[in-house]
Amino acid sequence: MSSLAQGEVPAFEVADPAFAITSQDVHAARERSWYATTPYGIAVLRYEQMNKLLKSRQLRQGSIAWPAHNGVIEGPFARWWSSWLLNKEGEEHRRLRRLMTPAFSQQMIVGLVPRFQALAGELVDDFAEPDRCEFVSEFAEPYSARVIAIMLGLPEPEWQVIATESATLGLAMGVTLKQDLPKIEDALARLYAYCDEVIAERRANPQDDFVTALVNASSPKRAGSATTNSETDCCC
């Protein structure tokens, strides 16, 4: 990798509302340097260097530090964030992957592809104006939420619950995490309650869907050893 003197490295104030990743300033910075500094760490600006960094075993997944970097070190959100498979490493990461693997078989995915394709056609047919659409609200949001509902075996009309609460949780990815925390934790509590109901129902009435597969995968009989409630929470 090439290197530059510190004085030549661009600096981005990414929390500034006026900052845009597609701006001419960012394009110019990429010509000068393979990275820029930000208040949140370095921003890698070129494909080659990003590809090398992603493959390097000397680095770890940095998102685990995001809540603490924003002053959120305890509470429901911090606990939920740290429980993500993405934010686990070593044996704990491998253990959770083994636990979840039975629920994500190729056979299950392939069997759902025709339904996903049909759903895309349904949404396109319903566009309000011929040959036009507001892509996010008319396609991307309902498609992604309904795909999740289909995969989990949830009633498709409940896709708006998934979309609304997930969008609120998405605020956690932004630089306003700390001020948005009450809304984020409220949405998290509602999703936990919703998931608890679904999990309890699948334990009582198993179905041929992802939730049942995850519940079975987290049971002592399927996992091969005793599991704790926290393991089930991480998976489901």
Side-chain angles (χ1 to χ4, degrees), residues 179-191:
Q179 68 190 61
D180 291 328
L181 188 61
K183 290 187 291 187
I184 293 168
E185 292 194 332
D186 285 347
L188 182 60
R190 289 191 293 270
L191 279 177

Side-chain angles (χ1 to χ4, degrees), residues 118-196:
L119 172 59
E122 292 171 21
L123 293 171
V124 170
D125 289 342
D126 288 339
F127 285 163
E129 299 179 56
D131 302 319
R132 295 185 62 189
C133 74
E134 201 298 302
F135 187 76
V136 172
S137 64
E138 292 188 68
F139 187 88
E141 183 179 60
Y143 183 80
S144 59
R146 288 176 66 179
V147 162
I148 292 172
I150 292 168
M151 290 176 64
L152 296 179
L154 303 174
E156 281 191 60
E158 296 182 9
W159 72 266
Q160 290 180 315
V161 174
I162 299 170
T164 300
E165 306 299 3
S166 298
T168 303
L169 283 182
L171 296 173
M173 310 295 182
V175 297
T176 57
L177 164 59
K178 190 67 177 290
Q179 68 190 61
D180 291 328
L181 188 61
K183 290 187 291 187
I184 293 168
E185 292 194 332
D186 285 347
L188 182 60
R190 289 191 293 270
L191 279 177
Y192 264 126
Y194 182 80
C195 291
D196 286 344

